[in-house]
Amino acid sequence: QVQLVESGGGLEQAGGSLRLSCTASGNFNRITEMAWYRQAPGKGRERVASITNSGRTTYEDSFQGRFTISLENAANTAHLQMNSLNPEDTAVYYCNALIVIGSQTFHREGQGTQVTVSS
């Protein structure tokens, strides 16, 4: 059983920063990619950023420059550094991963962590 556990969410004031973390645990061979998505109240889920195990990153345009994704391969942990937060960043942030078990690749998602930004 592979699990993704997010942490680091909470309440922050506008202009502040938060760092989210996501750790994969369980029996698997390797992670090929990790990504962060978010879902704001009353809105659909949107992709924030992703990173491959070789360090290649992609960002949705609206997050480029404010958010930074990183990956600690040895710890199977991804981070999302979020700076210059504003109330529109209030959302549940979900970690996703592509995980290799044997010859197959599986998608997993965490339970999510709440980020609330006050004005």
Side-chain angles (χ1 to χ4, degrees), residues 14-27:
S17 299
L18 283 173
R19 187 185 193 221
L20 306 183
S21 298
C22 171
T23 299
S25 63
N27 293 318

Side-chain angles (χ1 to χ4, degrees), residues 17 25 28 63 69 80 119:
S17 299
S25 63
F28 55 91
F63 304 110
I69 190 170
L80 184 68
S119 57

Side-chain angles (χ1 to χ4, degrees), residues 11-71:
L11 176 64
E12 182 60 68
Q13 291 184 335
S17 299
L18 283 173
R19 187 185 193 221
L20 306 183
S21 298
C22 171
T23 299
S25 63
N27 293 318
F28 55 91
N29 297 106
R30 67 184 183 279
I31 295 172
T32 59
E33 183 174 312
M34 295 186 82
W36 289 94
Y37 289 74
R38 75 180 191 181
Q39 187 162 14
K43 296 186 178 180
R45 188 165 297 192
E46 63 177 331
R47 185 181 181 100
V48 176
S50 64
I51 184 167
T52 67
N53 58 1
S54 63
R56 181 172 60 87
T57 59
T58 58
Y59 296 89
E60 294 303 306
D61 289 345
S62 56
F63 304 110
Q64 185 82 42
R66 285 198 307 131
F67 291 6
T68 302
I69 190 170
S70 59
L71 178 64

Side-chain angles (χ1 to χ4, degrees), residues 43-110:
K43 296 186 178 180
R45 188 165 297 192
E46 63 177 331
R47 185 181 181 100
V48 176
S50 64
I51 184 167
T52 67
N53 58 1
S54 63
R56 181 172 60 87
T57 59
T58 58
Y59 296 89
E60 294 303 306
D61 289 345
S62 56
F63 304 110
Q64 185 82 42
R66 285 198 307 131
F67 291 6
T68 302
I69 190 170
S70 59
L71 178 64
E72 295 180 58
N73 279 310
N76 296 314
T77 297
H79 304 284
L80 184 68
Q81 177 68 42
M82 306 186 295
N83 299 326
S84 301
L85 289 165
N86 58 66
E88 289 69 39
D89 294 318
T90 295
V92 178
Y93 286 72
Y94 296 91
C95 174
N96 283 245
L98 294 178
I99 294 175
V100 176
I101 302 174
S103 61
Q104 295 182 283
T105 299
F106 299 87
H107 171 261
R108 292 289 183 268
E109 182 173 84

